Amino acid sequence: MRSRQRMFAAVMRLLLKCLRLGRRRRFKLVRQVEQLWHYGHLCLRSLLYNSFTNSDVVLDSLFEPVYWLVDHVTRWFGVVFVALVIGLTSSIVAIVYICLLPLILQTYTPAWICWHLAYGHWNLIMIVFHYYMAITTSPGHPPQAKDDLTGVSICRKCIAPKPARTHHCSICNRCVLKMDHHCPWLNNCVGHYNHRYFFSFCLFMTMGCIYCSISGWEMFRDAYAAIERMKLLEKERLQVAANQTYYQTPPPTFSFRQRAFHKSVVYLWVLCSSVALALGALTLWHAALITRGETSIERHINKKERQRLQKKGKVFRNPYSYGGWDNWKVFLGVDMPRHWLTRVLLPSPHLPHGTGLSWDLPPCVTEQRTPLLAI
């Protein structure tokens, strides 16, 4: 009897211990859930730490991993895009020299031959020179020492001096002087020291593509018609072979050289026309920005500033614009009339006006304008 009582008491004690452990585990789980809830609540409130925070800041915070991925992927894709530009341009030049140039020398008059040789090679030299300079020239970066600059702000990302018209490039992870944009086709930023090279490359590449499209239009039509005849004759040949009519003579087939020639002409015209349309639109866009004395980034900043001042009944004037004609002279570095030939129509590695740290009045500007607002 006593042994049964002892056994029952031991079982009850064991049961009570299990209940106590269960309560402790439940209490521990509840504490962890409360801690996670307070931590999440604190993170949410940290997004609303001041009155300047709005829905855009919240969305930027949520999309920060996406931005990081795009920045790093674009950085690696730049090498691929540069190789693609070099490969496509080289293929067009090879087709012109191998396929079209012999035909031009055989069929065109001496005057037209001289025109095509002179213009084609001049355009090619300008394209190669400006693309090489746009890739290899640094856009310009502000100095890291704060004592070297006065009256400038501090970049909140790289914690360094940020002069006027300077912006931070998240792909290069550096501030760029007079930054326009990061171009993956150059694998480089477009800034103060290589902006002219970038625009000149776009302009001369567009001119070269338009030249190839116009001069090769008749050849493209003949080549396209020949390819259609190839397909038709190939279809007839297959039908003859299927019917096994040995008394019929199979239609003649085109040689590999003829096929390659016609397909190369079609490839050249389609590629040049497509690039002329796309790159031509980009060139016109940048030409409009240069005329207004703006960069791509400043265009958005000036638009918002113009709308803000318009509501107050005021007029915004871009402090870096000297008028359409003078803006082009400053951008191209034309200080005297002969520079239109030596610096615009011929390859020239001359530096732009100023250092990109301060924006004094260039010597080529005819009228001095007093800025109303500074950006």
Side-chain angles (χ1 to χ4, degrees):
M1 190 67 180
R2 290 181 179 178
S3 59
R4 291 181 180 178
Q5 291 178 351
R6 291 176 181 175
M7 186 179 297
F8 179 76
V11 171
M12 293 300 294
R13 285 195 297 269
L14 182 61
L15 182 60
L16 290 174
K17 288 182 180 180
C18 292
L19 291 175
R20 291 174 183 174
L21 290 175
R23 289 179 181 177
R24 292 178 181 176
R25 290 178 180 176
R26 284 198 301 271
F27 290 151
K28 187 176 182 181
L29 181 61
V30 170
R31 290 196 197 97
Q32 291 178 353
V33 172
E34 289 180 353
Q35 290 177 356
L36 291 175
W37 168 258
H38 289 303
Y39 179 75
H41 185 64
L42 181 62
C43 291
L44 183 62
R45 292 189 62 181
S46 65
L47 296 175
L48 307 173
Y49 68 97
N50 58 24
S51 59
F52 294 100
T53 304
N54 51 23
S55 59
D56 294 336
V57 177
V58 177
L59 288 177
D60 289 341
S61 301
L62 295 176
F63 278 93
E64 191 66 29
V66 179
Y67 297 151
W68 180 89
L69 181 63
V70 170
D71 292 344
H72 285 71
V73 169
T74 306
R75 187 179 305 171
W76 284 105
F77 274 10
V79 180
V80 179
F81 289 157
V82 170
L84 189 62
V85 171
I86 296 175
L88 293 177
T89 306
S90 301
S91 65
I92 296 299
V93 174
I95 292 173
V96 170
Y97 274 102
I98 297 173
C99 300
L100 302 186
L101 187 59
L103 190 61
I104 291 174
L105 296 176
Q106 293 174 5
T107 57
Y108 284 29
T109 61
W112 277 109
I113 291 175
C114 293
W115 155 254
H116 284 291
L117 291 178
Y119 179 80
H121 286 89
W122 169 78
N123 203 342
L124 178 62
I125 291 173
M126 297 298 285
I127 290 173
V128 173
F129 171 79
H130 287 103
Y131 188 67
Y132 174 78
M133 294 299 292
I135 292 176
T136 57
T137 303
S138 173
H141 306 285
Q144 298 297 318
K146 188 176 180 180
D147 297 336
D148 297 340
L149 300 173
T150 58
V152 299
S153 59
I154 300 297
C155 178
R156 64 179 183 178
K157 294 184 179 180
C158 57
I159 315 300
K162 185 179 178 182
R165 310 187 80 179
T166 300
H167 299 279
H168 187 87
C169 177
S170 58
I171 298 176
C172 299
N173 198 24
R174 294 188 66 180
C175 283
V176 177
L177 299 175
K178 192 193 169 186
M179 179 180 176
D180 188 89
H181 69 286
H182 183 93
C183 182
W185 299 100
L186 302 179
N187 195 28
N188 195 7
C189 267
V190 177
H192 179 63
Y193 289 102
N194 64 347
H195 194 182
R196 180 178 65 88
Y197 297 131
F198 165 76
F199 177 80
S200 298
F201 163 72
C202 293
L203 177 62
F204 288 112
M205 178 64 82
T206 302
M207 292 171 55
C209 291
I210 294 175
Y211 163 74
C212 291
S213 299
I214 295 176
S215 60
W217 168 244
E218 295 295 335
M219 297 180 186
F220 165 74
R221 292 178 59 184
D222 296 339
Y224 186 81
I227 291 176
E228 291 298 322
R229 287 198 305 271
M230 290 180 196
K231 295 179 180 179
L232 182 60
L233 292 176
E234 185 68 20
K235 185 177 180 180
E236 292 179 359
R237 190 181 67 83
L238 293 176
Q239 290 177 353
V240 169
N243 295 331
Q244 296 180 356
T245 54
Y246 296 103
Y247 60 87
Q248 295 181 359
T249 303
T253 58
F254 288 85
S255 63
F256 173 78
R257 184 174 181 179
Q258 291 174 328
R259 292 173 182 270
F261 175 82
H262 295 310
K263 292 182 179 180
S264 298
V265 172
V266 172
Y267 163 78
L268 179 144
W269 192 87
V270 171
L271 180 61
C272 289
S273 301
S274 304
V275 173
L277 290 175
L279 195 59
L282 179 65
T283 305
L284 291 176
W285 163 255
H286 280 278
L289 293 176
I290 295 169
T291 305
R292 294 196 297 261
E294 298 175 333
T295 62
S296 299
I297 298 177
E298 291 174 353
R299 189 251 178 190
H300 300 285
I301 299 174
N302 294 348
K303 183 179 179 180
K304 292 182 179 179
E305 190 67 18
R306 190 177 295 108
Q307 293 175 353
R308 186 182 69 84
L309 292 178
Q310 189 176 6
K311 294 179 181 179
K312 298 181 178 181
K314 298 180 181 180
V315 179
F316 171 78
R317 180 184 296 171
N318 183 9
Y320 308 113
S321 177
Y322 311 104
W325 182 248
D326 287 336
N327 287 336
W328 278 101
K329 291 168 63 178
V330 172
F331 178 79
L332 297 174
V334 177
D335 297 331
M336 50 189 67
R338 64 182 177 86
H339 287 165
W340 289 104
L341 174 63
T342 59
R343 293 187 173 185
V344 179
L345 297 181
L346 294 177
S348 175
H350 66 278
L351 297 176
H353 288 292
T355 61
L357 303 176
S358 60
W359 299 96
D360 300 329
L361 188 69
C364 60
V365 175
T366 56
E367 296 180 3
Q368 184 172 2
R369 297 171 179 263
T370 303
L372 298 181
L373 288 173
I375 297 177

